[in-house]
């Protein structure tokens, strides 16, 4: 057994990562067995990826295997076999293409995953170099490594990395990739030079390719990286005209970015960044996303920036490559058998991983829509564990081609929403089964049906009492866009409508929200449900997350829990502080603005903008209820569709019951002092007669707050930009509305100017309203 004290600064990975001291407890036999298992797993994954264009494990798992094997071999060198993945790069060349021997080895890169690991690597580099260095930082493209061989300025071959020494000849296919010159520009080219780079699909080109695949009835690609690898490694011999066109469609969408050189006896430059300038002058495609940093800390700033803005780039990235810029130090620092010591890859948390699709279950939301959700083996992606993801409807399930039991590729769209991209078809073993959309609501048993002929989505028609719909509507009442009741969220809504106990829930519908009493909140136990899926939320051990949200154990000597304190519903227990606060917040919500009540009623198409217009014109729910369809439609910002929805909603008896019970409970469903329909228009405000659009994040204002500020100043708070818009207030994240305003020449204001506009009017800004756009 190895003494743990023997683990010192010399025993660390090339990246400078200290070894896990727990490895010292492995016996030699245990180390040999684990090393053999890891070797088989890694070689199998490499063969699948490089030889079959299939990704059987995600990057994070593969990296973890490699690091574990490397650590074991450092502590027990005798277990390292000649076939160890730590001694080689990539995989041996396949048999589809002729082998090409690289003039100089194509190495891989070691990885780091944190700021601390990056700084440790940089400290080691500068220690070995004996001085401070500059670092070239560039985005790590998630694609396929390629080597281009130019002789006297002419492309003679293109090869995949293979095992680092011998790759596959893909020259014919590379000639169809746009942007790769067959002859270098300029003069004075070396007799031989190997240019290294990455082949990939831009996000837009990948989506375009999948649209083409779908139009041809072919399977969709799960992700751009596998699609790039598979596209470049296609044979054309024996294919018919249709098949050749499909090959061309894929190859013509590929792109390449070059990032270095291999064989070149005597380059006339001294830094890596100068190489980039030279390659660009030769007409080769280089990246605009790089920077030379004068310190490791500065390099770390570059990494953090693109970690936050990775979706602003037109292609997928999985990290940043950091290289010592000074070429003279490359030879001095040297390399291991598989990776240079003068470069490192900082890997971001994975955005795409593989996992197992255990089941597809159907959840019902507050509008009755029945949505299939993927239930998966837990997988860490983009920094959090994912177990469930929406599949939208039965047609989407079919289009994605996933079967229950598949290995699937998942990602987090925008780093937030889990998304199933597709199956890894190559890993099917015949046990998989197709998903069948149920015909009945899984919550109440009602027959599912489209809301109207032609709808793809199926809905539960039992809107009044379907438990899932009631739960969703109660949560909606407390949401920020409606009554904004703190404490009335997903957990409390589930507790009030679908508790494990008591058998009879405190709320049969949202009608009773304002009638809740302390004794109604005790005792309640509930299984917490996911806000997105409506499915029970699971703990890390796979059991349901069950809570008692409204009670707290009595603590001896705690004055808050005296006998005459909060409601004592059971010996030894009292209401929690959160429950007491919830009841107080519900009471205070009774005097919220009228428009918030209109949103809380969950009337189809009535969002904050339409609700404000209705509240401003009619002044009360009673006046809206009494209005005709034409009177409703005549209100600016309402129109015929919303008017029809309002009439239909008030025609339902249990909808009217909600209004009546809220009113009886003391909810203020009218604007104090309002004199009736048409009397609420604010006259004489600083924005009278002006239309303003607020978009993006405006400092000092919430989204609703900005709209209220416009209305209170006598203006119209519009939701879209048009020729009638006078001003657009735009903050970070403004998006298409800002672009539309620029296109139409509408005046654009920042947050500070917006504040002046709504408090003092346009004259205080020295501008007049925009002239009508012809």
């Amino acid at each position: 057994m190895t003494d743990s004290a023997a683990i010192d600064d010399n025993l660390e990975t090339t990246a400078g990562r200290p070894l896990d001291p727990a490895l010292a407890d492995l016996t030699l036999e245990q180390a040999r067995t684990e090393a053999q298992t890891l070797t088989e797993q890694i070689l199998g994954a490499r063969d699948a990826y490089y030889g079959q264009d299939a990704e059987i494990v995600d990057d994070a798992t593969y990296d973890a295997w490699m690091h574990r094997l490397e650590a074991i071999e450092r502590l027990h060198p005798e277990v390292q076999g000649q076939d160890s993945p730590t001694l080689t790069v990539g995989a041996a060349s396949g048999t589809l293409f002729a082998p090409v021997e690289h003039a100089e080895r194509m190495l891989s890169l070691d990885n780091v995953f944190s700021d601390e690991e990056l700084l440790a690597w940089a400290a080691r580099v500068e220690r070995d170099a004996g001085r401070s260095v500059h670092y070239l930082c560039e985005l790590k493209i998630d694609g396929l490594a390629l080597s281009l061989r130019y002789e006297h300025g002419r492309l003679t071959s293109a090869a995949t990395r293979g095992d680092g020494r011998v790759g596959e000849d893909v020259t014919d296919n590379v000639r169809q990739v746009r942007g790769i010159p067959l002859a270098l520009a300029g003069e004075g080219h070396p007799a031989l030079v190997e240019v290294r780079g990455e082949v990939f699909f831009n996000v837009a080109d990948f989506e375009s390719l999948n649209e083409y695949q779908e139009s041809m009835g072919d399977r969709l690609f799960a992700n751009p990286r596998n699609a790039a690898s598979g596209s470049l490694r296609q044979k054309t011999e024996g294919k018919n005209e249709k098949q050749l066109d499909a090959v061309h469609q894929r190859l013509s969408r590929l792109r390449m970015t070059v990032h270095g050189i291999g064989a070149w006896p005597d380059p006339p430059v001294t830094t890596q960044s100068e190489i980039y300038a030279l390659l660009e002058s030769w007409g080769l495609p280089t990246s605009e996303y790089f920077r030379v940093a004068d310190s490791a800390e500065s390099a770390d700033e570059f990494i953090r920036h693109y970690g936050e803005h990775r979706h602003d780039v037109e292609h997928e990235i999985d990290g940043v490559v950091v290289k010592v810029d000074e070429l003279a130090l490359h030879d001095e620092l040297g390399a291991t058998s598989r990776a240079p010591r003068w470069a490192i890859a900082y890997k971001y948390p994975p955005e795409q991983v593989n996992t197992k699709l255990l089941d597809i279950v159907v959840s019902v939301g507050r509008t009755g829509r029945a949505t299939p959700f993927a239930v998966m083996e837990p997988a860490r992606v983009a920094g959090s564990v994912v177990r469930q993801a929406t599949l939208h409807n039965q047609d989407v399930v079919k289009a994605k081609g996933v079967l229950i039991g598949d290995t699937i590729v998942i990602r987090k769209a925008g780093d937030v929403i889990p998304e199933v991209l597709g199956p890894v078809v190559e890993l099917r073993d015949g046990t998989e089964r197709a998903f069948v959309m149920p015909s009945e609501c899984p919550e109440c048993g009602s027959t599912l049906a489209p809301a109207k002929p032609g709808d793809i989505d199926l809905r539960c028609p039992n809107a009044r009492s379907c438990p899932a719909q009631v739960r969703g509507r109660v949560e909606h009442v407390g949401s920020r866009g409606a009554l904004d009741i703190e404490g009335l969220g997903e957990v409390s809504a589930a507790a009030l409508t679908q508790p494990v106990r008591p058998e009879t829930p405190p709320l049969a519908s949202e009608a009773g929200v304002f009638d809740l009493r302390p004794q109604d909140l005790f005792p309640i136990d509930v299984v917490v449900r996911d806000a997105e899926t409506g499915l029970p939320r699971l703990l890390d051990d796979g059991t349901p997350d069950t809570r008692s949200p409204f009670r707290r154990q009595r603590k001896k000597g705690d004055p808050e829990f005296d006998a005459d304190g909060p409601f004592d519903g059971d010996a030894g227990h009292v209401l929690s502080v959160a429950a007491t606060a919830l009841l107080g917040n519900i009471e205070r919500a009774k005097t919220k603005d009228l428009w918030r009540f209109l949103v809380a009623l969950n009337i189809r198409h009535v969002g904050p903008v339409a609700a404000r217009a209705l509240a401003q014109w009619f002044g009360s729910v009673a006046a809206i209820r009494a209005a005709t369809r034409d009177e409703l439609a005549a209100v600016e910002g309402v129109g015929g569709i919303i008017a029809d929805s309002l009439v239909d909603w008030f025609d339902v008896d249990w909808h009217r019951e909600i209004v009546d019970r809220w009113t009886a409970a003391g909810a203020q469903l009218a604007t104090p002092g309002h004199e009736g329909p048409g009397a609420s228009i604010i006259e004489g405000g600083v924005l009278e007669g002006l239309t303003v659009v607020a978009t993006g994040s405006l400092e000092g204002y919430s989204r609703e707050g900005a709209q209220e500020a416009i209305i209170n100043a006598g203006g119209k708070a519009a939701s879209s930009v048009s020729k009638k818009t006078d001003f657009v207030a735009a903050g970070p994240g403004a998006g298409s509305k800002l672009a539309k305003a620029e296109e139409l020449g509408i005046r654009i204001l920042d947050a500070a100017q917006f504040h002046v506009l709504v408090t003092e009017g346009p004259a205080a800004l020295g501008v007049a309203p925009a002239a009508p756009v012809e």
Side-chain angles (χ1 to χ4, degrees):
M1 185 179 294
T2 303
D3 187 348
S4 61
I7 300 178
D8 56 24
D9 290 341
N10 294 321
L11 290 178
E12 56 185 16
T13 65
T14 304
R17 183 183 298 105
L19 299 183
D20 180 0
L23 290 174
D25 293 332
L26 290 178
T27 65
L28 178 60
E29 188 57 35
Q30 289 172 331
R32 180 175 285 112
T33 299
E34 186 172 352
Q36 182 178 352
T37 300
L38 288 168
T39 295
E40 292 173 355
Q41 290 173 325
I42 293 168
L43 293 180
R46 282 185 179 179
D47 180 65
Y49 180 69
Y50 291 104
Q52 305 169 37
D53 304 320
E55 190 173 355
I56 63 174
V57 297
D58 56 85
D59 279 357
T61 302
Y62 182 87
D63 289 337
W65 287 349
M66 283 292 293
H67 293 150
R68 180 77 175 179
L69 179 59
E70 182 186 31
I72 291 172
E73 291 178 347
R74 297 293 288 276
L75 285 172
H76 298 279
E78 58 269 44
V79 307
Q80 187 180 57
Q82 292 183 346
D83 64 342
S84 173
T86 63
L87 299 175
T88 59
V89 176
S93 300
T95 58
L96 287 177
F97 297 87
V100 173
E101 185 173 354
H102 303 302
E104 184 172 310
R105 277 194 310 156
M106 288 186 72
L107 299 176
S108 184
L109 290 172
D110 282 323
N111 302 319
V112 293
F113 299 89
S114 69
D115 297 345
E116 293 76 16
E117 290 180 353
L118 173 74
L119 297 177
W121 168 82
R124 179 172 178 171
V125 164
E126 296 188 12
R127 181 192 70 194
D128 293 345
R131 62 184 178 89
S132 61
V133 302
H134 293 85
Y135 298 97
L136 183 141
C137 311
E138 62 188 348
L139 299 188
K140 186 176 184 297
I141 300 173
D142 199 10
L144 177 72
L146 189 70
S147 179
L148 305 176
R149 184 184 180 112
Y150 287 91
E151 297 180 18
H152 301 287
R154 296 262 172 197
L155 178 66
T156 57
S157 69
T160 61
R161 176 159 52 195
D163 63 3
R165 295 186 181 277
V166 178
E168 293 178 307
D169 187 348
V170 289
T171 309
D172 289 342
N173 285 346
V174 165
R175 293 180 188 277
Q176 296 188 56
V177 177
R178 284 187 290 172
I180 298 179
L182 305 182
L184 299 178
E187 300 176 349
H189 306 116
L192 168 66
V193 64
E194 284 183 336
V195 178
R196 305 290 168 67
E198 204 83 7
V199 175
F200 59 93
F201 282 108
N202 283 337
V203 173
D205 288 332
F206 174 70
E207 292 173 351
S208 169
L209 175 61
N210 265 345
E211 289 174 2
Y212 169 80
Q213 294 286 112
E214 186 174 21
S215 71
M216 300 301 292
D218 293 332
R219 73 178 180 92
L220 306 185
F221 295 105
N223 57 53
R225 180 170 63 174
N226 282 12
S229 176
S231 298
L232 201 61
R233 300 177 68 256
Q234 294 178 100
K235 297 291 286 185
T236 56
E237 290 85 348
K239 293 187 181 295
N240 58 36
E241 185 175 346
K242 179 181 177 181
Q243 293 169 328
L244 287 174
D245 180 65
V247 172
H248 175 71
Q249 291 288 341
R250 294 168 69 176
L251 292 173
S252 64
R253 287 176 169 83
L254 283 171
R255 297 291 182 270
M256 183 179 185
T257 291
V258 300
H259 51 59
I261 56 172
W264 192 356
D266 188 24
V269 292
T270 61
T271 65
Q272 182 77 25
S273 50
E274 289 176 321
I275 285 179
Y276 282 17
L278 184 60
L279 294 176
E280 185 178 17
S281 72
W282 286 351
L284 287 159
T286 58
S287 174
E288 62 181 284
Y289 303 106
F290 76 91
R291 188 180 90 189
V292 177
D294 58 7
S295 68
E297 290 74 16
S298 181
D300 195 41
E301 291 176 4
F302 180 91
I303 290 168
R304 288 199 301 270
H305 172 80
Y306 279 103
E308 297 171 358
H309 297 276
R310 59 197 296 185
H311 296 290
D312 296 344
V313 182
E314 62 271 17
H315 53 72
E316 292 197 344
I317 63 174
D318 59 358
V320 170
V321 176
V322 181
K323 304 175 182 177
V324 173
D325 196 35
E326 292 84 356
L327 294 180
L329 291 176
H330 289 194
D331 289 337
E332 184 177 330
L333 293 169
T336 66
S337 60
R338 59 180 298 274
R341 290 191 172 94
W342 45 265
I344 202 75
Y346 185 110
K347 298 290 285 289
Y348 293 132
E351 288 196 300
Q352 290 188 8
V353 300
N354 289 2
T355 190
K356 200 76 170 179
L357 179 59
L358 302 177
D359 200 359
I360 297 177
V361 298
V362 173
S363 171
V364 176
R366 67 181 171 92
T367 64
R369 179 184 175 191
T371 304
F373 280 87
V375 179
M376 306 165 290
E377 286 185 353
R380 180 166 290 277
V381 54
S384 64
V385 175
V386 173
R387 292 182 174 86
Q388 300 164 342
T390 180
L391 289 167
H392 303 289
N393 57 55
Q394 64 272 29
D395 284 7
V396 171
V397 176
K398 183 177 180 181
K400 288 183 181 291
V402 293
L403 302 177
I404 298 170
D406 267 337
T407 296
I408 57 174
V409 182
I410 64 172
R411 72 172 179 182
K412 273 193 175 179
D415 285 331
V416 177
I417 303 172
E419 177 184 6
V420 175
L421 296 179
V424 183
V425 177
E426 295 82 358
L427 297 182
R428 285 178 176 166
D429 59 13
T431 63
E432 299 80 12
R433 57 189 173 88
F435 165 71
V436 178
M437 188 71 180
S439 58
E440 296 180 346
C441 172
E443 297 273 0
C444 69
S446 300
T447 301
L448 298 176
K452 60 180 183 294
D455 279 0
I456 297 174
D457 293 332
L458 300 180
R459 295 181 184 272
C460 171
N462 182 21
R464 179 174 191 171
S465 56
C466 174
Q469 296 185 61
V470 174
R471 181 189 72 245
R473 292 198 304 270
V474 169
E475 183 180 347
H476 173 70
V477 168
S479 66
R480 182 173 298 178
L483 289 178
D484 195 15
I485 302 173
E486 186 174 354
L488 187 57
E490 58 182 278
V491 176
S492 53
L496 294 168
T497 60
Q498 290 181 289
V500 176
R501 71 162 182 163
E503 184 175 339
T504 302
L507 291 181
S509 78
E510 64 269 42
V513 165
F514 292 105
D515 295 322
L516 285 172
R517 303 165 300 166
Q519 52 265 45
D520 295 325
L521 303 186
F522 189 89
I524 294 179
D525 296 323
V526 65
V527 173
V528 179
R529 293 175 178 265
D530 185 89
E532 170 68 19
T533 67
L535 300 174
R537 184 179 294 169
L538 304 180
L539 300 173
D540 289 341
D541 63 2
T543 59
D545 181 1
T546 304
R547 304 182 193 177
S548 301
F550 300 136
R551 70 176 177 179
R552 181 175 171 185
Q553 188 72 32
R554 184 189 300 274
K555 294 183 179 180
K556 185 177 181 180
D558 190 338
E560 182 183 358
F561 299 114
D562 290 339
D564 58 351
F567 174 74
D568 190 351
D570 192 12
H573 296 88
V574 295
L575 283 181
S576 68
V577 174
T580 304
L582 171 61
L583 292 173
N585 292 335
I586 290 175
E587 182 64 28
R588 283 185 287 275
K590 293 178 179 179
T591 57
K592 294 269 185 170
D593 291 341
L594 174 60
W595 71 266
R596 288 187 175 276
F597 282 100
L598 292 173
V599 174
L601 288 173
N602 198 49
I603 303 170
R604 192 178 186 188
H605 303 307
V606 178
V609 174
R612 284 187 175 89
L614 289 164
Q616 184 178 348
W617 182 265
F618 289 100
S620 68
V621 172
I624 296 171
R625 181 174 174 175
T628 66
R629 188 265 184 197
D630 290 343
E631 288 171 339
L632 293 166
V635 176
E636 187 174 3
V638 177
I641 293 176
I642 295 176
D644 289 337
S645 184
L646 285 161
V647 171
D648 291 343
W649 193 88
F650 280 108
D651 276 345
V652 178
D653 58 355
W654 64 271
H655 288 168
R656 297 193 299 271
E657 180 189 347
I658 296 171
V659 173
D660 294 341
R661 287 189 61 181
W662 284 9
T663 301
Q668 186 174 277
L669 302 187
T671 301
H674 196 286
E675 297 180 1
S680 66
I681 297 178
I682 300 174
E683 297 181 356
V686 295
L687 294 184
E688 182 180 358
L690 300 181
T691 299
V692 182
V693 173
T695 179
S697 178
L698 293 168
E699 186 176 356
Y701 294 90
S702 65
R703 181 178 177 182
E704 292 81 12
Q707 293 174 331
E708 287 178 5
I710 296 167
I711 293 171
N712 291 337
K716 175 185 176 183
S719 59
S720 60
V721 178
S722 70
K723 295 178 180 180
K724 297 181 180 179
T725 304
D726 295 288
F727 297 97
V728 171
S736 60
K737 293 180 183 178
L738 176 59
K740 182 70 172 179
E742 291 171 339
E743 177 187 336
L744 295 175
I746 295 169
R747 294 175 180 84
I748 299 169
L749 310 177
D750 60 21
Q753 293 169 322
F754 174 71
H755 179 71
V756 173
L757 178 72
V758 296
T759 55
E760 303 179 46
L765 293 171
V767 295
V773 179
E774 297 299 331

